[in-house]
Amino acid sequence: MNRKDEHLHNARSQQLKTMPNDFDEVRLVASSFPKAGSSTNKVDLTTNFGELTLTSPFYLNAMTGGSALASSLNERLGIISRELDLMLALGSLSAGLKDPELLESYRIARKINPQGFIWLNLSADSSVEKVLRGVDALQANGVQLHLNLPQELVMPEGDRNFNDWLSNIALIQEQLNLPVLVKETGFGMSPQTLALLAEAGVEYVDVSGRGGTNFIAIENARRVQHEYRYLTDYGLSTVESLLNVAAVPHSFKVTASGGIRQPIDMVKALMLGADATAIAGTLLPTLMKEDGLPATLALLQGYQEQLRHLYVLLGVTTTAELKGLPLLFSEKINNYQQQLPKFLPSDS
């Protein structure tokens, strides 16, 4: 089976299981009275994300590309992003740039949604020339540079030699006249990582924490001996990563992804300080069904309606008003917050 297809099937299988998720360790503070004059019709889901404006506080994050199955899913994602006016990130384009025959599995989304905002996705060690070729191939509006060190090390055929990703990110930003977003791949971001990104002048960050698709588990399943099982719970959760963001001086805009399963997780992430949220793996069980297109459209339309209800529940009419609203934390999260100061960079 194609490696990309293995990833898809394994990621889908993970979503069918109950996995630990720190959003369950965060609770909303109940209110018995509606805000005077509140109405779901008055809720505006439009969300400012730096220089970008989103029609909803979530977008479709990188999933796949590079196979016939991936092409079918990207075709569906292109239609969904067009019909619901959602920003879309495609899967890593490395395979498409190595083999031009695979490019169509990514380009299909752009052909279907010529006016939509589409992120190119490549590794943070990609050359400027490679990024520019990718932008041209997809007519991309922005570039996601992903950080996936644990995945590469566990992947049987992964990289073993690494250049200076941070300086490369800075070089790409300098040479590119497009938004650049630095994205983790499900392992979260420490205070040190966030401080380095802030120092490098990164404008957009996706903390992508533990709780969603687990690429260590996916790559370990592809190993004969499955010897990296002990790293399955490696990384920081999305909740922990957002607490780290709040503790580190920065000017970048933040996406929360990794374990965003439902609208209430989106709302909690926004209350924790995220500027936007993104979903990927949670859609796969629906997206990959025979009737996946209409079912996923209905699912996401339901998310938008539920978000309006949740905004009214919390007494707000805009996404911006969610930031900083009070939340209740479990002992587990409180314990993390108590330990957080010892992980902060000395100048934070």
Side-chain angles (χ1 to χ4, degrees):
M1 184 185 292
N2 176 292
R3 181 169 68 89
K4 298 293 185 179
D5 289 351
E6 280 190 87
H7 284 179
L8 280 170
H9 286 288
N10 287 335
R12 177 182 176 277
S13 294
Q14 287 184 7
Q15 295 298 323
L16 298 175
K17 303 173 184 175
T18 300
M19 296 183 291
N21 191 308
D22 276 357
F23 282 110
D24 296 330
E25 307 291 332
V26 179
R27 293 164 51 205
L28 304 181
V29 178
S31 175
S32 299
F33 293 104
K35 186 176 180 180
S38 64
S39 164
T40 57
N41 292 329
K42 293 181 181 179
V43 170
D44 182 5
L45 295 181
T46 303
T47 301
N48 293 322
F49 185 45
E51 64 184 62
L52 310 176
T53 301
L54 312 184
T55 58
S56 295
F58 66 90
Y59 60 92
L60 307 173
N61 222 350
M63 291 187 220
T64 191
S67 72
L69 174 59
S71 181
S72 172
L73 296 183
N74 280 337
E75 180 178 12
R76 292 178 176 186
L77 290 169
I79 294 170
I80 292 165
S81 66
R82 182 190 67 201
E83 294 303 305
L84 299 184
D85 194 13
L86 295 175
M87 195 161 64
L88 168 65
L90 295 173
S92 173
L93 191 63
S94 291
L97 294 178
K98 287 178 183 176
D99 183 353
E101 291 186 5
L102 299 178
L103 264 178
E104 189 59 27
S105 68
Y106 303 87
R107 280 177 166 163
I108 186 68
R110 172 53 81 199
K111 288 181 179 180
I112 287 170
N113 190 5
Q115 303 303 319
F117 191 105
I118 293 181
W119 292 96
L120 162 70
N121 184 311
L122 283 169
S123 170
D125 70 348
S126 300
S127 67
V128 173
E129 184 272 337
K130 184 176 181 179
V131 171
L132 291 174
R133 282 198 296 126
V135 168
D136 183 63
L138 298 182
Q139 293 299 293
N141 306 94
V143 175
Q144 285 189 345
L145 298 174
H146 65 254
L147 310 173
N148 67 334
L149 180 60
Q151 181 189 6
E152 291 291 346
L153 292 171
V154 177
M155 187 190 308
E157 66 276 55
D159 291 341
R160 298 295 182 263
N161 300 301
F162 304 93
N163 61 19
D164 186 346
W165 288 2
L166 190 63
S167 63
N168 195 59
I169 289 168
L171 180 62
I172 291 170
Q173 285 196 140
E174 183 182 308
Q175 298 294 318
L176 209 64
N177 190 29
L178 289 174
V180 175
L181 180 150
V182 180
K183 177 188 184 303
E184 246 296 344
T185 52
F187 306 108
M189 289 190 175
S190 68
Q192 288 81 1
T193 294
L194 292 161
L196 288 170
L197 292 172
E199 186 179 344
V202 170
E203 294 180 282
Y204 296 91
V205 167
D206 180 351
V207 297
S208 188
R210 182 167 54 81
T213 303
N214 187 323
F215 280 102
I216 285 179
I218 285 174
E219 299 297 354
N220 190 50
R222 300 178 60 242
R223 300 183 72 91
V224 175
Q225 302 297 325
H226 310 310
E227 61 267 41
Y228 286 98
R229 191 177 292 107
Y230 55 81
L231 282 180
T232 300
D233 63 351
Y234 175 84
L236 296 167
S237 72
T238 302
V239 170
E240 291 166 338
S241 298
L242 289 172
L243 293 172
N244 294 340
V245 170
V248 174
H250 68 279
S251 59
F252 49 69
K253 299 302 177 182
V254 178
T255 295
S257 74
I260 303 288
R261 306 156 299 180
Q262 52 205 355
I264 197 167
D265 296 337
M266 298 175 189
V267 166
K268 290 175 182 179
L270 294 164
M271 293 170 72
L272 283 165
D275 298 288
T277 66
I279 51 177
T282 193
L283 297 180
L284 286 177
T286 306
L287 189 67
M288 293 177 71
K289 290 179 179 179
E290 188 174 342
D291 65 342
L293 176 57
T296 308
L297 276 167
L299 177 70
L300 293 174
Q301 288 169 328
Y303 282 4
Q304 291 171 326
E305 183 65 14
Q306 291 167 49
L307 282 167
R308 292 186 180 91
H309 293 179
L310 289 170
Y311 280 35
V312 171
L313 183 67
L314 292 165
V316 304
T317 56
T318 67
T319 300
E321 294 175 84
L322 290 171
K323 192 171 287 191
L325 289 182
L327 288 163
L328 291 172
F329 298 117
S330 70
E331 183 178 356
K332 176 184 176 183
I333 300 302
N334 277 329
N335 184 45
Y336 181 80
Q337 290 188 92
Q338 290 169 12
Q339 295 184 69
L340 179 55
K342 67 184 178 184
F343 302 121
L344 294 174
S346 57
D347 59 349
S348 292

